[in-house]
Amino acid sequence: MPVWTNKVILDKEYWQEAVRLIDTCERELRITAYSWRWYPNEPECEVQQINAAIMRAIVRGVSVRAMCSSLPMALTLQKYGIQAKYCDEARTVHSKVLCIDTTAIMLGSHNITKRALHENYEISMVSRDYEPVAQFITYFDKIWEYARAN
């Protein structure tokens, strides 16, 4: 089987790749999300399967930090044990990225919502190249420093 460093993820394929990557995370998961939903009464929902993978990561001792677009979203994430912050109203967190430890990022147009997986045409990419992963970590950590928790 070939070893890949970059892989394109289309439409509904996102949830399976996200779950697979999150389940490999050992130390830290960094997430930026413009729109992120929780469907606690629908465990079979693909989005909720992503959320369940994140919860499994927390149970394994993985540090999960999320930058999101609003205070209500940050408060929801905090309720589930995720360290979450948001930016002030002058700037919006619009990026959609999962960063697995220091080994991979998945970035693209996918929000963590049913609409992104079922209605929209979406494309994301997984990269295992050192340079973009390191650039994202630096970017995330800089924003994290100035963002608000509540």
Side-chain angles (χ1 to χ4, degrees):
M1 176 177 272
V3 176
W4 52 267
T5 57
N6 298 304
K7 180 179 178 182
V8 172
I9 310 298
L10 302 173
D11 302 324
K12 194 175 175 178
E13 296 171 357
Y14 180 88
W15 79 272
Q16 292 171 317
E17 189 67 24
V19 168
R20 190 185 68 70
L21 285 168
I22 294 165
D23 282 344
T24 67
C25 191
E26 296 177 355
R27 293 175 306 284
E28 184 167 22
L29 176 61
R30 292 174 176 90
I31 304 168
T32 61
Y34 176 73
S35 186
W36 185 347
R37 302 286 185 266
W38 286 73
Y39 305 96
N41 297 325
E42 299 178 47
E44 72 289 344
C45 170
E46 294 93 342
V47 172
Q48 199 57 23
Q49 303 240 347
I50 296 169
N51 294 334
I54 293 167
M55 300 309 294
R56 288 192 300 274
I58 291 170
V59 169
R60 287 194 311 275
V62 172
S63 169
V64 179
R65 294 190 295 158
M67 286 292 308
C68 55
S69 61
S70 69
L71 173 59
M73 190 184 308
L75 294 174
T76 297
L77 298 175
Q78 290 169 7
K79 180 174 82 172
Y80 289 105
I82 296 168
Q83 301 170 64
K85 291 186 176 184
Y86 70 101
C87 290
D88 63 27
E89 296 174 6
R91 294 189 74 176
T92 298
V93 173
H94 198 258
S95 58
K96 295 98 175 171
V97 182
L98 297 175
C99 182
I100 311 306
D101 296 322
T102 58
T103 62
I105 56 172
M106 183 160 62
L107 68 158
S109 64
H110 286 88
N111 286 303
I112 307 173
T113 64
K114 285 182 183 179
R115 185 175 182 143
L117 297 179
H118 295 283
E119 298 176 31
N120 298 347
Y121 292 108
E122 305 278 0
I123 187 168
S124 291
M125 182 175 172
V126 175
S127 177
R128 294 184 178 280
D129 291 340
Y130 173 79
E131 186 76 22
V133 173
Q135 286 176 332
F136 175 76
I137 290 170
T138 300
Y139 179 76
F140 181 96
D141 290 350
K142 179 180 174 185
I143 295 171
W144 185 263
E145 184 178 328
Y146 296 103
R148 298 177 180 182
N150 54 35

